[in-house]
Amino acid sequence: MPKVRTRYAPSPTGFPHAGNIRTALFNWLFARSQGGDFILRIEDTDIQRRVEGAVEDILGSLSWLNLLWDEGPYFQSERLSYYQEAARKLVEEGHAYPCYCSPQRLKELREEQVKRREPPGYDRRCRYYSWEERGKFEGTTPVIRFKVPLSGEIQFRDLIYGEVSLKCDTIDDFIILKSDGYPTYHLASVVDDHLMGITHVLRAEEWLSSTPRHLLLYEALGYSPPAFAHLPMILSPDKGKLSKRTGAPGVAELWRKGYLPEAVVNFLALLGWAFDDKTEIFSMDELIARFSLEGVSLNPAVFNLQKLTWMNGLYLRKKSPEEFARLLLSFLDRDLSSSVRRPLDPDYVAQVAPLIQERMRTLGEAAEATSFFFMLEVNFDPSLLKKSLPLLKMQTTLKVALENLELLSSFDTSSLEKLLRPLAESLNLKAGDLFQLLRLALTGRTASPPLFQTMEVLGKERCLHRIERAIMTIEQNVPSL
RNA sequence: GGCGCAUUCGUCUAGUGGCCAAGGACACCUCCCUCUCAAGGAGGAGAUCACCGGUUCGAAUCCGGUAUGCGCUACCA
């Protein structure tokens, strides 16, 4: 058995999204699981649609997810002579022919066909020209079209979809070489897959219907074809094709939003593949060990961001405290309001980190979740409290708390608890009510990490200051007090 | 229009003729834990397995048809 070689062959016409990268993942996993090689090839044969920065984005996305390639990237635009040579050979051997029809004529032809409710397709006008007739077109650069057999049937066995067949008379003479000298996908991918020794072509299901053409090309070129495995598409929540417009984030965007690469990989692996009826958390190594084409589903999958978000929370909680603090620091530095002084103190961030590690689903939520730790002051708005006390009671409560807190020598979690629980009782308040009041004064919110831990991290000085501010706020609201 | 492929809870899926009056996960609801929010734990609701026929003692699983969805049908990939 020859060594398995797979490839990921994106075209740089946009930034990779979940669907594209899932194809890369499956190719990568299959190669790794078989001890094979994973090759990266950039299919940049459409100079019109080329997008600036797309190649960098593709490379960056793969690297971020740790889907490293063993060979490449190869660029098809640098390999034109191979395709041109193949096309020349096909023409010479009667498998292909130059076509001089103008784009204008093809357009009209198609419109005609649609109007007459005929299947659109090239009418093969140039297929039968003699050499003399071709001479008439001296000066115009033709395209090269493949001579598809007029009858017969192509059958092949897809590793995922099983037996697939297509009658030749439903395939028109497709273009293999454009007039600008660039190949179309069909020719380029066949030539390259052969030249690069690709053994397994794993690509999106949208290519399934084109595979018979490719098989025809392999045969005419005298190549033996690789195995094909088409992967189910990934759909947008609206069940349409995945695209930015319909809410499918690009890979780069996932990183910006604070998703972890290992979570993205794990989640993507589950889109169209399953190991069993229970397991769904897999490390990269487990994925490699378990991945198989048999586990690939036949149905298109809808990209479900909610589940990714849940899974990301899981991975975030799995991080070591140090690693999590490091990540947190970089996201806070980026996202915290500019009014917060930089550079951020890494030690302080490391103290904040454990308080929110299990409360976050994406790093993108970090700044919002922790801003009160970093702001100079917070707003005290008593109306936020569910069980509101009379303002007067609030004020006296805060004052008593302040006095007691001032006297506290060690401002740590357990000392704070030892002080505040009894204090609630002596003030004739439920502990929860006191704590909520303090929480609001200290954080400006009704939800935060546990109060005493939050206070310890905030530190005595900040806490006292914020309680004083809250007391003042009440006074300003009720001047007659 | 033609051709191809698919069709199990809202979503991702398990299931390859009896173990399935269909299992797991996300989301949702309830309860427990609890100073709030999370996390965690325990429950709940949610799928006549697209539909109709057939094969079989027996079908989500096999076959045929219909419907629906998606894809291909470009000098795009």
Side-chain angles (χ1 to χ4, degrees):
Chain A
M1 262 279 269
K3 194 178 193 189
V4 164
R5 286 168 64 86
T6 66
R7 46 57 161 195
Y8 174 49
S11 72
T13 52
F15 302 133
H17 59 236
N20 303 321
I21 222 71
R22 200 274 318 255
T23 299
L25 208 214
F26 281 24
N27 271 285
W28 188 89
L29 284 175
F30 183 69
R32 285 285 170 279
S33 70
Q34 303 289 311
D37 288 333
F38 173 62
I39 287 103
L40 178 59
R41 183 171 76 218
I42 305 296
E43 309 226 317
D44 53 350
T45 54
D46 186 345
I47 37 184
Q48 244 72 253
R49 298 200 311 149
R50 179 176 272 159
V51 169
E52 194 69 31
V55 171
E56 289 71 18
D57 205 79
I58 290 166
L59 266 37
S61 296
L62 291 174
S63 307
W64 179 59
L65 294 171
N66 231 294
L67 267 25
L68 301 180
W69 51 96
D70 302 298
E71 266 178 47
Y74 295 107
F75 290 85
Q76 290 189 324
S77 58
E78 295 168 0
R79 302 166 55 83
L80 297 183
S81 59
Y82 292 114
Y83 319 122
Q84 283 160 338
E85 170 56 24
R88 193 195 57 74
K89 187 173 161 238
L90 287 171
V91 172
E92 206 163 81
E93 293 172 1
H95 291 298
Y97 60 91
C99 167
Y100 300 90
C101 295
S102 67
Q104 179 60 24
R105 168 169 132 72
L106 296 175
K107 193 173 152 233
E108 286 165 6
L109 176 67
R110 202 162 25 242
E111 280 164 4
E112 247 340 83
Q113 288 163 331
V114 170
K115 209 178 347 175
R116 286 201 307 252
R117 311 192 132 226
E118 285 168 16
Y122 182 56
D123 63 0
R124 301 191 158 120
R125 186 209 261 194
C126 296
R127 176 163 172 153
Y128 305 104
Y129 285 154
S130 63
W131 284 107
E132 296 81 70
E133 285 172 301
R134 282 176 193 169
K136 289 188 303 195
F137 297 100
E138 201 78 51
T140 70
T141 330
V143 300
I144 307 296
R145 302 188 97 109
F146 186 74
K147 223 183 249 184
V148 175
L150 273 8
S151 64
E153 193 178 27
I154 316 285
Q155 290 186 18
F156 68 100
R157 192 173 162 278
D158 185 89
L159 262 22
I160 287 162
Y161 285 88
E163 298 297 330
V164 176
S165 65
L166 188 71
K167 290 199 176 62
C168 288
D169 60 17
T170 63
I171 311 175
D172 73 348
D173 287 354
F174 56 96
I175 293 170
I176 55 176
L177 197 71
K178 302 181 252 184
S179 57
D180 61 6
Y182 278 73
T184 59
Y185 172 87
H186 306 299
L187 211 219
S189 68
V190 165
V191 168
D192 276 347
D193 285 341
H194 169 73
L195 256 24
M196 297 177 186
I198 302 303
T199 58
H200 298 256
V201 170
L202 273 59
R203 69 214 323 184
E205 194 261 1
E206 57 189 322
W207 292 109
L208 193 61
S209 320
S210 305
T211 305
R213 287 167 226 260
H214 303 156
L215 258 5
L216 250 16
L217 236 20
Y218 276 101
E219 198 187 346
L221 253 6
Y223 304 158
S224 62
F228 289 96
H230 288 87
L231 309 170
M233 305 268 291
I234 295 183
L235 272 24
S236 289
D238 67 359
K239 309 249 180 175
K241 213 174 170 176
L242 203 58
S243 77
K244 289 233 173 65
R245 289 206 70 256
T246 50
V251 174
E253 196 182 346
L254 288 175
W255 170 234
R256 266 183 271 114
K257 287 188 168 166
Y259 289 90
L260 262 17
E262 52 270 48
V264 173
V265 163
N266 192 154
F267 175 74
L268 250 26
L270 259 22
L271 240 38
W273 174 82
F275 174 64
D276 61 15
D277 61 340
K278 296 218 160 54
T279 329
E280 50 180 7
I281 302 302
F282 299 92
S283 69
M284 203 53 130
D285 286 343
E286 289 167 336
L287 240 25
I288 293 169
R290 314 222 152 130
F291 185 80
S292 79
L293 258 22
E294 288 75 52
V296 176
S297 151
L298 270 52
N299 312 327
V302 172
F303 184 86
N304 179 203
L305 193 66
Q306 259 184 341
K307 187 156 182 176
L308 204 210
T309 304
W310 161 78
M311 195 175 275
N312 200 64
L314 222 59
Y315 277 92
L316 232 30
R317 272 171 254 132
K318 271 201 215 175
K319 289 273 181 213
S320 71
E322 298 75 31
E323 172 76 354
F324 179 73
R326 223 200 69 229
L327 288 164
L328 184 63
L329 179 63
S330 70
F331 274 80
L332 288 181
D333 185 51
R334 186 194 71 180
D335 293 341
L336 239 25
S337 147
S338 58
S339 64
V340 174
R341 264 250 308 276
R342 307 296 151 91
L344 264 19
D345 176 6
D347 293 333
Y348 185 58
V349 170
Q351 279 183 276
V352 170
L355 301 197
I356 56 152
Q357 184 163 5
E358 70 176 23
R359 268 162 256 271
M360 277 191 345
R361 283 133 68 223
T362 67
L363 262 351
E365 298 167 353
E368 160 62 19
T370 64
S371 62
F372 62 86
F373 278 110
F374 299 91
M375 296 183 315
L376 253 25
E377 288 171 338
V378 297
N379 269 335
F380 179 75
D381 176 2
S383 70
L384 258 27
L385 250 25
K386 253 201 199 100
K387 279 168 64 183
S388 192
L389 304 167
L391 282 177
L392 185 62
K393 174 84 175 163
M394 254 185 222
Q395 195 188 32
T396 55
T397 302
L398 287 171
K399 278 181 175 163
V400 173
L402 183 65
E403 286 161 14
N404 281 275
L405 254 11
E406 269 168 348
L407 299 173
L408 198 62
S409 55
S410 56
F411 212 74
D412 60 78
T413 300
S414 70
S415 309
L416 285 161
E417 180 154 18
K418 264 183 230 148
L419 169 73
L420 294 171
R421 279 202 192 273
L423 186 70
E425 206 173 326
S426 67
L427 283 167
N428 217 355
L429 281 174
K430 277 191 184 163
D433 294 342
L434 202 221
F435 298 165
Q436 278 302 81
L437 177 60
L438 284 173
R439 187 190 312 282
L440 186 69
L442 293 166
T443 68
R445 339 181 158 184
T446 56
S448 81
L451 184 65
F452 314 127
Q453 296 175 47
T454 303
M455 290 175 77
E456 180 177 339
V457 171
L458 239 21
K460 187 169 183 177
E461 197 186 328
R462 252 186 292 229
C463 286
L464 298 183
H465 174 71
R466 288 184 186 181
I467 294 171
E468 280 165 13
R469 276 238 336 156
I471 293 168
M472 276 165 50
T473 305
I474 294 176
E475 269 166 17
Q476 282 159 7
N477 278 349
V478 189
S480 61
L481 210 64

